[in-house]
Amino acid sequence: EQRLAEFLLDEAGRCHSDQINMTQEQIARAIGSAREAVSRTLKQMVQEGSVELFRGGVKILNRRKLYQKL
């Protein structure tokens, strides 16, 4: 969860956007994790209101909640 939160925040900063256009598979490869684990963690983050999922990407809704995971 921590690695994923850190990756999302870093990627958003790099792209200057809250929208990250990467599939869950690409995110998993980038952080060295299994896609299933990334998918499960993202679903938890959606329930918390931290992120929103869309086809081919993730949108950060609440940066503060993500920073709390670091």
Side-chain angles (χ1 to χ4, degrees), residues 11-37:
E11 196 64 21
R14 194 179 64 75
C15 297
H16 306 291
S17 171
D18 283 340
Q19 190 163 306
I20 298 152
N21 294 310
M22 292 177 77
T23 65
Q24 293 179 12
E25 180 70 34
Q26 291 169 320
I27 293 170
R29 268 191 256 124
I31 65 171
S33 185
R35 187 201 54 78
E36 295 82 5

Side-chain angles (χ1 to χ4, degrees), residues 32-50:
S33 185
R35 187 201 54 78
E36 295 82 5
V38 168
S39 178
R40 190 171 41 251
T41 304
L42 284 171
K43 284 179 186 173
Q44 290 172 343
M45 291 177 172
V46 166
Q47 290 176 341
E48 296 169 353
S50 302

